[in-house]
Amino acid sequence: METLESGLSRRGRILAGEEEYGDHPSPVDAADTYALDHLRDLIAEAVRRNSDVKLDGTDLVLISITGRSPMSTVVAYDVLRPRRLLVIHSGRGEEAVNVIGDYLVGPGRLRHSEFFHNHVDATDPRVVYQTIKDFLSRPDISRDRVILNITGGNKVMSAAAALAAWQLDLELCYVEVEPDPATGHIRPETQRLLLLDNPISIFGDQEMVRAAELLRAGAFDIASKRYQDLSDRLASPSVARFWKAVSDLYKAWCDLALADLPALADRVEDLLNSYREPLSPATTSRIRQQVAFLRRLDDSTESRLNLILGLHILGGHYSRLGRNDFAALLYYRAIEGCLAWRLEETRGFLCDSPDYTLLGDDIESGYAALSIGSPEDDTGLPSKVSLVTAARLLACTDDDFAKQAGLTSQRAIRNLADLTAARNKSVLAHGFKPIDVESSEKLGSRAFFYLKKIWELHRPGEDLEDLRKHLAFVVPPESGDSMAKEQ
């Protein structure tokens, strides 16, 4: 029985032209044929010993780039034992495909229906990609585990195949060899098969960029799912986990899921402490300030001003996304919140169940004096206080906020009513007219103006401009950039 050592010795003599084997155009072809005929199992056993390949028993599919020599494809097949094989070759690889078919198709090996081969233009990487993609879309091809062998073929084909693998999330393998120092020929007994992880799966730079784009676009639920997938696959998942937590926090904020915010804020802060990429001190400070702010955001009376500011921040977020109707609705609620909060906080008044005696004896005549000609003016003091009604009540009670905000005359009240009418006519309120950018921005400016006056009266120690800047949404830094971006 021939041993690997004696067989390799004879193969060496065939390569050197000292011994003939069959009718072949070159000693290299003759030596390859001899190895396939007599040394194949021994070479496969040696390659397995040299390799660290773990197979999990799934229906493996092998795609192999093949050039003039069939050897790397046969070696990869012998080690991996796939259930399906696709050989991709260019013009010079047609004979190699015939040899591969002769040795790999037959009893105990591949059936003819399990062996595929495609000729491609080696100079066009798009063809290689499309060939692989089309093959994987076949209904009889399992995607449980697909390995792409890039050993054979020319450099353009191998590079195109590697790019396709990274794009299609496939594993790569490569048959590494040590050439004989004296002759330069391959030493089959030194071969080993390397399984190469997809760089996207290890580092995920491109997918992290796509996930950041989703976060920037406000698609927080989809961004969260993308980051979760990355955190399951990346070698260093801390960054993906952190931005998933940020996505979840921002989504809950947008949904005004106030009960969920404290736990999500805690999660962001915990992961921020284990973040492994550089974040600027300013960005870290902003995130910590957001976390602290959102922990306090609830429906309690004490938190009402924070909630109103939170609505304005969300309005700015939707405005930057071009969703003017949503922005206008939030800005409107911020204006309404400021007026109602001031009215209720200073007098114990309830807008939903008003007791007008709390506002003074002459409140009805003062209210009537600020009539702006709306249909509700003829009904006297209303049973529920609306935005414009709150402004009139503040004005006629000589309120300090009303004076600082300029709400002291019929003209000012009418101007406010006209400004907020755009929201009332929108599809999200009582009409069907979309809100334009200008109307939305005017509502946003008025809302922030009222917030500043409230802050000056009730929280004079806080800089509202600085607070708003710090509470604006952030997105991950771009590749190579240590600064996270402000939305």
Side-chain angles (χ1 to χ4, degrees):
M1 181 177 179
E2 192 164 26
T3 65
L4 181 59
E5 184 178 356
S6 62
L8 292 175
S9 177
R10 185 180 178 189
R11 177 180 177 274
R13 294 194 297 274
I14 296 171
L15 271 174
E18 299 171 359
E19 182 177 331
E20 293 185 356
Y21 186 84
D23 184 14
H24 295 283
S26 72
V28 173
D29 293 329
D32 282 348
T33 303
Y34 167 76
L36 290 172
D37 287 344
H38 299 281
L39 305 178
R40 183 175 160 194
D41 291 341
L42 296 172
I43 290 173
E45 183 179 346
V47 174
R48 290 191 195 97
R49 286 197 304 269
N50 298 336
S51 308
D52 183 20
V53 177
K54 295 180 175 63
L55 302 178
D56 54 13
T58 58
D59 286 347
L60 189 148
V61 174
L62 176 63
I63 302 172
S64 189
I65 305 300
T66 299
R68 183 173 177 274
S69 171
M71 292 300 293
S72 64
T73 296
V74 174
V75 168
Y77 171 85
D78 286 343
V79 175
L80 298 173
R81 301 298 291 183
R83 295 290 298 273
R84 301 285 192 282
L85 170 65
L86 168 65
V87 175
I88 300 176
H89 63 97
S90 57
R92 295 182 62 189
E94 289 182 354
E95 183 54 36
V97 172
N98 292 329
V99 174
I100 292 168
D102 289 340
Y103 285 96
L104 300 189
V105 177
R109 293 168 286 171
L110 294 171
R111 295 182 294 177
H112 288 280
S113 61
E114 297 167 337
F115 175 54
F116 306 84
H117 50 89
N118 277 83
H119 176 275
V120 299
D121 180 355
T123 64
D124 190 345
R126 295 170 298 179
V127 175
V128 175
Y129 169 80
Q130 194 61 47
T131 297
I132 296 172
K133 185 177 180 181
D134 291 346
F135 174 69
L136 295 177
S137 67
R138 291 175 56 100
D140 59 332
I141 299 300
S142 169
R143 288 294 301 268
D144 288 346
R145 189 169 187 186
V146 181
I147 299 178
L148 177 53
N149 176 21
I150 58 172
T151 313
N154 61 32
K155 294 179 180 179
V156 173
M157 285 179 66
S158 294
L163 289 172
W166 297 336
Q167 184 68 29
L168 297 170
D169 197 20
L170 310 179
E171 290 181 80
L172 291 173
C173 79
Y174 183 81
V175 180
E176 185 180 59
V177 297
E178 293 183 15
D180 188 306
T183 65
H185 292 305
I186 292 171
R187 297 167 58 197
E189 77 280 9
T190 67
Q191 295 178 108
R192 62 175 181 148
L193 189 139
L194 304 176
L195 288 181
L196 311 175
D197 287 315
N198 189 328
I200 290 178
S201 296
I202 304 173
F203 306 111
D205 289 351
Q206 294 181 19
E207 290 189 62
M208 288 288 284
V209 169
R210 295 189 188 104
E213 290 171 352
L214 290 169
L215 199 157
R216 185 179 292 108
F220 299 127
D221 52 345
I222 303 175
S224 174
K225 292 176 183 176
R226 184 69 62 86
Y227 282 123
Q228 179 61 59
D229 178 63
L230 285 165
S231 67
D232 291 339
R233 295 190 288 115
L234 296 184
S236 299
S238 64
V239 174
R241 287 174 182 165
F242 172 77
W243 290 108
K244 174 192 169 5
V246 171
S247 300
D248 293 339
L249 182 65
Y250 286 170
K251 181 180 185 300
W253 188 356
C254 286
D255 293 344
L256 296 176
L258 303 184
D260 297 335
L261 289 175
L264 293 171
D266 289 345
R267 174 70 172 162
V268 169
E269 187 168 55
D270 289 344
L271 291 173
L272 181 59
N273 294 330
S274 60
Y275 196 85
R276 290 294 176 262
E277 293 293 330
L279 279 178
S280 71
T283 297
T284 301
S285 174
R286 281 182 55 197
I287 293 172
R288 293 195 187 282
Q289 192 162 346
Q290 287 182 353
V291 164
F293 176 82
L294 293 175
R295 279 200 188 103
R296 304 191 303 268
L297 206 62
D298 56 40
D299 58 359
S300 66
T301 302
E302 295 77 12
S303 180
R304 191 72 56 81
L305 280 185
N306 289 335
L307 181 57
I308 295 168
L309 175 59
L311 295 176
H312 188 273
I313 299 297
L314 291 182
H317 165 68
Y318 283 114
S319 179
R320 283 184 288 275
L321 296 180
R323 303 181 70 178
N324 298 313
D325 286 87
F326 282 89
L329 182 63
L330 290 159
Y331 289 146
Y332 180 96
R333 285 289 293 121
I335 293 172
E336 185 177 51
C338 286
L339 300 175
W341 186 88
R342 176 66 183 182
L343 194 61
E344 294 183 347
E345 178 68 16
T346 55
R347 295 171 177 81
F349 186 79
L350 297 177
C351 291
D352 286 340
S353 181
D355 178 0
Y356 290 106
T357 62
L358 296 172
L359 303 182
D361 295 336
D362 59 346
I363 186 64
E364 189 166 1
S365 60
Y367 181 80
L370 290 171
S371 170
I372 58 171
S374 64
E376 63 182 21
D377 283 347
D378 297 332
T379 63
L381 293 170
S383 59
K384 288 191 176 182
V385 176
S386 67
L387 181 151
V388 174
T389 299
R392 289 172 64 183
L393 291 172
L394 287 170
C396 69
T397 55
D398 199 33
D399 182 80
D400 287 341
F401 166 79
K403 288 188 287 188
Q404 293 189 27
L407 292 172
T408 56
S409 66
Q410 284 180 318
R411 180 178 180 181
I413 302 297
R414 185 177 292 108
N415 176 273
L416 175 61
D418 291 343
L419 177 65
T420 56
R423 171 265 179 189
N424 295 328
K425 296 176 182 178
S426 79
V427 294
L428 296 180
H430 311 300
F432 298 94
K433 185 177 180 180
I435 295 179
D436 56 45
V437 175
E438 183 181 3
S439 298
S440 178
E441 289 179 347
K442 286 181 178 179
L443 281 168
S445 297
R446 182 67 62 90
F448 192 67
F449 174 70
Y450 287 166
L451 277 166
K452 285 184 68 174
K453 297 307 174 184
I454 290 286
W455 246 254
E456 290 169 3
L457 286 168
H458 295 273
R459 297 183 179 180
E462 291 184 5
D463 185 336
L464 188 63
E465 288 278 7
D466 185 66
L467 183 58
R468 179 175 69 164
K469 178 181 178 180
H470 279 79
L471 293 178
F473 291 177
V474 296
V475 295
E478 296 175 0
S479 179
D481 185 3
S482 63
M483 292 290 291
K485 306 296 181 182
E486 178 180 332
Q487 283 239 76

